[in-house]
Amino acid sequence: MGVIIHPLSVQNIKQDCMPTISPRMERLFKEFLSRYHEWRSYQKREIAWLTATMLMGLTNLATWASIPSAWAINILLFLLFLGVLHYYLSIKQKVTHLYINVHILYLHFLGKLEVGFCEHPGNCQCAEQFKKYVWEHYRISFYEDKL
């Protein structure tokens, strides 16, 4: 048996580009995206520091249980654990603050999509096209009211 190779026809495929929106809406969307990406990066940091805090706490407990006579090591590990915990809590507070900002911008932009997204006089699909574009490129859903 042989393999038959058929040449594929190359078509001009239109590049997916952002639907046309007003400059004001574009600035609002760019602001939302920048804050959204900042929030997501801080979420990743929060998970990393939570893991470090848990490991540090478990190490501290294991050291206290296995070597109770090594007071200097135990106290040093406990102080290190407190430092890691303090930094984790500050990151968590920053994540909460950023989430509130992102959520407010998200709801504001969602309201704009519902009410006044474009200046077309009749029914149009601008908002739906924009929602689809954002979902396909950024995996952010504007189809419901939660992030």
Side-chain angles (χ1 to χ4, degrees):
M1 295 189 114
V3 178
I4 300 174
I5 300 174
H6 293 283
L8 296 173
S9 63
V10 179
Q11 299 174 357
N12 289 336
I13 299 173
K14 182 182 175 187
Q15 294 285 334
D16 285 335
C17 57
M18 189 162 85
T20 306
I21 58 176
S22 69
R24 196 175 99 245
M25 291 299 287
E26 188 174 355
R27 282 192 310 271
L28 180 63
F29 182 65
K30 285 183 180 179
E31 178 70 22
F32 167 76
L33 271 184
S34 68
R35 291 187 187 219
Y36 180 81
H37 290 305
E38 182 183 13
W39 170 58
R40 296 296 288 181
S41 71
Y42 269 92
Q43 269 188 325
K44 291 175 186 173
R45 284 187 201 173
E46 178 190 18
I47 290 170
W49 279 99
L50 175 63
T51 305
T53 304
M54 297 298 285
L55 287 174
M56 201 64 215
L58 289 174
T59 304
N60 196 4
L61 286 175
T63 312
W64 278 100
S66 63
I67 315 171
S69 61
W71 288 96
I73 294 172
N74 290 333
I75 290 174
L76 181 66
L77 283 175
F78 183 68
L79 291 175
L80 190 60
F81 167 72
L82 287 178
V84 169
L85 178 65
H86 181 266
Y87 193 74
Y88 163 71
L89 290 175
S90 68
I91 293 284
K92 183 166 180 57
Q93 183 180 18
K94 179 77 172 170
V95 167
T96 304
H97 180 74
L98 287 172
Y99 173 75
I100 291 170
N101 286 341
V102 167
H103 193 67
I104 288 171
L105 279 173
Y106 177 79
L107 291 177
H108 181 67
F109 202 81
L110 194 62
K112 292 284 187 183
L113 284 172
E114 298 288 325
V115 178
F117 183 70
C118 66
E119 288 101 19
H120 292 124
N123 291 337
C124 66
Q125 298 296 319
C126 293
E128 287 302 318
Q129 288 174 351
F130 186 77
K131 287 178 185 181
K132 183 179 176 185
Y133 169 80
V134 171
W135 175 250
E136 288 174 353
H137 287 81
Y138 301 106
R139 292 292 182 214
I140 301 171
S141 175
F142 280 109
Y143 292 105
E144 48 192 42
D145 62 350
K146 57 184 171 181
L147 283 172

mmCIF file of all heavy atoms in Angstrom, residues 69-95:
data_model
loop_
_atom_site.group_PDB
_atom_site.id
_atom_site.type_symbol
_atom_site.label_atom_id
_atom_site.label_comp_id
_atom_site.label_asym_id
_atom_site.label_seq_id
_atom_site.Cartn_x
_atom_site.Cartn_y
_atom_site.Cartn_z
ATOM 1 N N SER A 69 15.200 18.980 71.742
ATOM 2 C CA SER A 69 16.292 19.576 72.521
ATOM 3 C C SER A 69 17.055 20.658 71.758
ATOM 4 O O SER A 69 17.837 21.393 72.355
ATOM 5 C CB SER A 69 17.262 18.478 72.960
ATOM 6 O OG SER A 69 17.811 17.858 71.815
ATOM 7 N N ALA A 70 16.832 20.803 70.461
ATOM 8 C CA ALA A 70 17.537 21.805 69.657
ATOM 9 C C ALA A 70 16.730 23.092 69.655
ATOM 10 O O ALA A 70 16.061 23.439 68.676
ATOM 11 C CB ALA A 70 17.763 21.289 68.248
ATOM 12 N N TRP A 71 16.792 23.829 70.735
ATOM 13 C CA TRP A 71 15.990 25.047 70.892
ATOM 14 C C TRP A 71 16.370 26.124 69.886
ATOM 15 O O TRP A 71 15.492 26.818 69.354
ATOM 16 C CB TRP A 71 16.136 25.597 72.314
ATOM 17 C CG TRP A 71 15.435 24.744 73.302
ATOM 18 C CD1 TRP A 71 15.979 23.753 74.071
ATOM 19 C CD2 TRP A 71 14.052 24.775 73.599
ATOM 20 N NE1 TRP A 71 15.028 23.164 74.831
ATOM 21 C CE2 TRP A 71 13.815 23.786 74.566
ATOM 22 C CE3 TRP A 71 12.980 25.529 73.160
ATOM 23 C CZ2 TRP A 71 12.565 23.535 75.097
ATOM 24 C CZ3 TRP A 71 11.730 25.280 73.692
ATOM 25 C CH2 TRP A 71 11.526 24.301 74.641
ATOM 26 N N ALA A 72 17.618 26.289 69.624
ATOM 27 C CA ALA A 72 18.061 27.358 68.715
ATOM 28 C C ALA A 72 17.525 27.129 67.297
ATOM 29 O O ALA A 72 17.008 28.058 66.653
ATOM 30 C CB ALA A 72 19.589 27.425 68.697
ATOM 31 N N ILE A 73 17.607 25.908 66.831
ATOM 32 C CA ILE A 73 17.107 25.598 65.480
ATOM 33 C C ILE A 73 15.590 25.767 65.438
ATOM 34 O O ILE A 73 15.042 26.334 64.483
ATOM 35 C CB ILE A 73 17.525 24.169 65.060
ATOM 36 C CG1 ILE A 73 19.039 24.092 64.900
ATOM 37 C CG2 ILE A 73 16.827 23.752 63.769
ATOM 38 C CD1 ILE A 73 19.558 22.694 64.672
ATOM 39 N N ASN A 74 14.911 25.283 66.477
ATOM 40 C CA ASN A 74 13.452 25.371 66.509
ATOM 41 C C ASN A 74 12.963 26.814 66.535
ATOM 42 O O ASN A 74 12.013 27.182 65.834
ATOM 43 C CB ASN A 74 12.897 24.595 67.706
ATOM 44 C CG ASN A 74 13.058 23.100 67.534
ATOM 45 O OD1 ASN A 74 13.112 22.605 66.412
ATOM 46 N ND2 ASN A 74 13.151 22.380 68.644
ATOM 47 N N ILE A 75 13.604 27.640 67.330
ATOM 48 C CA ILE A 75 13.207 29.046 67.404
ATOM 49 C C ILE A 75 13.524 29.760 66.098
ATOM 50 O O ILE A 75 12.731 30.566 65.604
ATOM 51 C CB ILE A 75 13.869 29.728 68.617
ATOM 52 C CG1 ILE A 75 13.243 29.175 69.904
ATOM 53 C CG2 ILE A 75 13.711 31.245 68.557
ATOM 54 C CD1 ILE A 75 13.882 29.647 71.173
ATOM 55 N N LEU A 76 14.678 29.460 65.508
ATOM 56 C CA LEU A 76 15.034 30.065 64.227
ATOM 57 C C LEU A 76 14.027 29.674 63.139
ATOM 58 O O LEU A 76 13.575 30.527 62.364
ATOM 59 C CB LEU A 76 16.447 29.642 63.819
ATOM 60 C CG LEU A 76 16.960 30.214 62.505
ATOM 61 C CD1 LEU A 76 17.115 31.736 62.623
ATOM 62 C CD2 LEU A 76 18.263 29.571 62.112
ATOM 63 N N LEU A 77 13.655 28.402 63.085
ATOM 64 C CA LEU A 77 12.657 27.961 62.105
ATOM 65 C C LEU A 77 11.292 28.595 62.364
ATOM 66 O O LEU A 77 10.560 28.927 61.427
ATOM 67 C CB LEU A 77 12.539 26.435 62.110
ATOM 68 C CG LEU A 77 13.651 25.678 61.401
ATOM 69 C CD1 LEU A 77 13.481 24.179 61.585
ATOM 70 C CD2 LEU A 77 13.669 26.028 59.933
ATOM 71 N N PHE A 78 10.961 28.757 63.639
ATOM 72 C CA PHE A 78 9.688 29.397 63.957
ATOM 73 C C PHE A 78 9.676 30.863 63.518
ATOM 74 O O PHE A 78 8.683 31.345 62.956
ATOM 75 C CB PHE A 78 9.400 29.294 65.458
ATOM 76 C CG PHE A 78 8.076 29.868 65.843
ATOM 77 C CD1 PHE A 78 6.903 29.255 65.442
ATOM 78 C CD2 PHE A 78 7.997 31.032 66.592
ATOM 79 C CE1 PHE A 78 5.668 29.798 65.784
ATOM 80 C CE2 PHE A 78 6.786 31.576 66.938
ATOM 81 C CZ PHE A 78 5.607 30.957 66.528
ATOM 82 N N LEU A 79 10.760 31.572 63.733
ATOM 83 C CA LEU A 79 10.852 32.967 63.292
ATOM 84 C C LEU A 79 10.810 33.060 61.759
ATOM 85 O O LEU A 79 10.180 33.968 61.202
ATOM 86 C CB LEU A 79 12.110 33.624 63.842
ATOM 87 C CG LEU A 79 12.124 33.848 65.355
ATOM 88 C CD1 LEU A 79 13.478 34.390 65.798
ATOM 89 C CD2 LEU A 79 10.996 34.763 65.782
ATOM 90 N N LEU A 80 11.469 32.128 61.095
ATOM 91 C CA LEU A 80 11.419 32.076 59.636
ATOM 92 C C LEU A 80 9.993 31.808 59.153
ATOM 93 O O LEU A 80 9.520 32.425 58.200
ATOM 94 C CB LEU A 80 12.381 31.008 59.117
ATOM 95 C CG LEU A 80 12.630 30.972 57.620
ATOM 96 C CD1 LEU A 80 13.212 32.297 57.144
ATOM 97 C CD2 LEU A 80 13.564 29.832 57.273
ATOM 98 N N PHE A 81 9.297 30.899 59.842
ATOM 99 C CA PHE A 81 7.899 30.619 59.517
ATOM 100 C C PHE A 81 7.035 31.873 59.680
ATOM 101 O O PHE A 81 6.195 32.176 58.833
ATOM 102 C CB PHE A 81 7.364 29.485 60.396
ATOM 103 C CG PHE A 81 5.876 29.344 60.344
ATOM 104 C CD1 PHE A 81 5.253 28.828 59.208
ATOM 105 C CD2 PHE A 81 5.081 29.720 61.406
ATOM 106 C CE1 PHE A 81 3.872 28.695 59.144
ATOM 107 C CE2 PHE A 81 3.711 29.593 61.355
ATOM 108 C CZ PHE A 81 3.104 29.085 60.217
ATOM 109 N N LEU A 82 7.253 32.619 60.748
ATOM 110 C CA LEU A 82 6.479 33.850 60.959
ATOM 111 C C LEU A 82 6.750 34.865 59.855
ATOM 112 O O LEU A 82 5.831 35.558 59.404
ATOM 113 C CB LEU A 82 6.792 34.446 62.330
ATOM 114 C CG LEU A 82 6.217 33.698 63.533
ATOM 115 C CD1 LEU A 82 6.647 34.380 64.828
ATOM 116 C CD2 LEU A 82 4.713 33.593 63.451
ATOM 117 N N GLY A 83 7.995 34.963 59.413
ATOM 118 C CA GLY A 83 8.319 35.878 58.317
ATOM 119 C C GLY A 83 7.639 35.478 57.019
ATOM 120 O O GLY A 83 7.079 36.323 56.311
ATOM 121 N N VAL A 84 7.652 34.189 56.710
ATOM 122 C CA VAL A 84 7.005 33.705 55.492
ATOM 123 C C VAL A 84 5.493 33.913 55.586
ATOM 124 O O VAL A 84 4.853 34.332 54.620
ATOM 125 C CB VAL A 84 7.358 32.212 55.245
ATOM 126 C CG1 VAL A 84 6.510 31.612 54.146
ATOM 127 C CG2 VAL A 84 8.829 32.065 54.908
ATOM 128 N N LEU A 85 4.926 33.638 56.761
ATOM 129 C CA LEU A 85 3.491 33.836 56.967
ATOM 130 C C LEU A 85 3.107 35.305 56.804
ATOM 131 O O LEU A 85 2.097 35.630 56.165
ATOM 132 C CB LEU A 85 3.073 33.335 58.347
ATOM 133 C CG LEU A 85 1.614 33.512 58.721
ATOM 134 C CD1 LEU A 85 0.727 32.676 57.814
ATOM 135 C CD2 LEU A 85 1.386 33.149 60.177
ATOM 136 N N HIS A 86 3.917 36.201 57.346
ATOM 137 C CA HIS A 86 3.643 37.628 57.225
ATOM 138 C C HIS A 86 3.659 38.065 55.763
ATOM 139 O O HIS A 86 2.787 38.814 55.315
ATOM 140 C CB HIS A 86 4.671 38.428 58.036
ATOM 141 C CG HIS A 86 4.444 39.901 57.969
ATOM 142 N ND1 HIS A 86 5.079 40.705 57.042
ATOM 143 C CD2 HIS A 86 3.653 40.710 58.694
ATOM 144 C CE1 HIS A 86 4.684 41.944 57.201
ATOM 145 N NE2 HIS A 86 3.820 41.985 58.194
ATOM 146 N N TYR A 87 4.650 37.592 55.007
ATOM 147 C CA TYR A 87 4.729 37.961 53.595
ATOM 148 C C TYR A 87 3.555 37.377 52.818
ATOM 149 O O TYR A 87 2.981 38.041 51.953
ATOM 150 C CB TYR A 87 6.059 37.513 52.987
ATOM 151 C CG TYR A 87 6.312 38.136 51.643
ATOM 152 C CD1 TYR A 87 6.678 39.480 51.543
ATOM 153 C CD2 TYR A 87 6.160 37.415 50.478
ATOM 154 C CE1 TYR A 87 6.880 40.071 50.307
ATOM 155 C CE2 TYR A 87 6.363 37.992 49.242
ATOM 156 C CZ TYR A 87 6.723 39.319 49.166
ATOM 157 O OH TYR A 87 6.910 39.902 47.938
ATOM 158 N N TYR A 88 3.163 36.142 53.128
ATOM 159 C CA TYR A 88 2.002 35.532 52.472
ATOM 160 C C TYR A 88 0.733 36.344 52.735
ATOM 161 O O TYR A 88 -0.066 36.581 51.827
ATOM 162 C CB TYR A 88 1.801 34.085 52.933
ATOM 163 C CG TYR A 88 0.426 33.565 52.606
ATOM 164 C CD1 TYR A 88 0.057 33.292 51.290
ATOM 165 C CD2 TYR A 88 -0.527 33.381 53.599
ATOM 166 C CE1 TYR A 88 -1.207 32.852 50.976
ATOM 167 C CE2 TYR A 88 -1.793 32.939 53.292
ATOM 168 C CZ TYR A 88 -2.131 32.675 51.985
ATOM 169 O OH TYR A 88 -3.389 32.243 51.675
ATOM 170 N N LEU A 89 0.554 36.771 53.973
ATOM 171 C CA LEU A 89 -0.647 37.548 54.295
ATOM 172 C C LEU A 89 -0.655 38.901 53.583
ATOM 173 O O LEU A 89 -1.719 39.377 53.174
ATOM 174 C CB LEU A 89 -0.769 37.729 55.808
ATOM 175 C CG LEU A 89 -1.102 36.459 56.587
ATOM 176 C CD1 LEU A 89 -1.080 36.729 58.079
ATOM 177 C CD2 LEU A 89 -2.431 35.875 56.147
ATOM 178 N N SER A 90 0.504 39.511 53.395
ATOM 179 C CA SER A 90 0.549 40.778 52.654
ATOM 180 C C SER A 90 0.226 40.553 51.171
ATOM 181 O O SER A 90 -0.480 41.362 50.555
ATOM 182 C CB SER A 90 1.897 41.470 52.822
ATOM 183 O OG SER A 90 2.916 40.738 52.182
ATOM 184 N N ILE A 91 0.712 39.449 50.601
ATOM 185 C CA ILE A 91 0.376 39.116 49.209
ATOM 186 C C ILE A 91 -1.117 38.836 49.087
ATOM 187 O O ILE A 91 -1.764 39.271 48.135
ATOM 188 C CB ILE A 91 1.193 37.891 48.721
ATOM 189 C CG1 ILE A 91 2.665 38.222 48.634
ATOM 190 C CG2 ILE A 91 0.681 37.362 47.396
ATOM 191 C CD1 ILE A 91 3.059 39.060 47.453
ATOM 192 N N LYS A 92 -1.678 38.119 50.047
ATOM 193 C CA LYS A 92 -3.107 37.805 50.020
ATOM 194 C C LYS A 92 -3.945 39.073 50.089
ATOM 195 O O LYS A 92 -4.958 39.193 49.384
ATOM 196 C CB LYS A 92 -3.466 36.869 51.171
ATOM 197 C CG LYS A 92 -4.915 36.432 51.160
ATOM 198 C CD LYS A 92 -5.137 35.289 52.084
ATOM 199 C CE LYS A 92 -6.566 34.848 52.080
ATOM 200 N NZ LYS A 92 -7.081 34.480 50.772
ATOM 201 N N GLN A 93 -3.529 40.023 50.899
ATOM 202 C CA GLN A 93 -4.241 41.294 50.987
ATOM 203 C C GLN A 93 -4.167 42.044 49.650
ATOM 204 O O GLN A 93 -5.169 42.622 49.194
ATOM 205 C CB GLN A 93 -3.652 42.150 52.106
ATOM 206 C CG GLN A 93 -4.371 43.451 52.320
ATOM 207 C CD GLN A 93 -3.747 44.253 53.441
ATOM 208 O OE1 GLN A 93 -2.607 44.014 53.851
ATOM 209 N NE2 GLN A 93 -4.488 45.210 53.957
ATOM 210 N N LYS A 94 -3.032 42.018 48.999
ATOM 211 C CA LYS A 94 -2.873 42.663 47.692
ATOM 212 C C LYS A 94 -3.756 41.986 46.646
ATOM 213 O O LYS A 94 -4.381 42.665 45.821
ATOM 214 C CB LYS A 94 -1.398 42.604 47.271
ATOM 215 C CG LYS A 94 -1.099 43.215 45.942
ATOM 216 C CD LYS A 94 -1.067 44.706 45.999
ATOM 217 C CE LYS A 94 -0.560 45.254 44.672
ATOM 218 N NZ LYS A 94 -0.718 46.666 44.554
ATOM 219 N N VAL A 95 -3.850 40.646 46.677
ATOM 220 C CA VAL A 95 -4.703 39.914 45.740
ATOM 221 C C VAL A 95 -6.164 40.300 45.936
ATOM 222 O O VAL A 95 -6.892 40.521 44.963
ATOM 223 C CB VAL A 95 -4.506 38.386 45.893
ATOM 224 C CG1 VAL A 95 -5.592 37.609 45.170
ATOM 225 C CG2 VAL A 95 -3.151 37.979 45.378
#
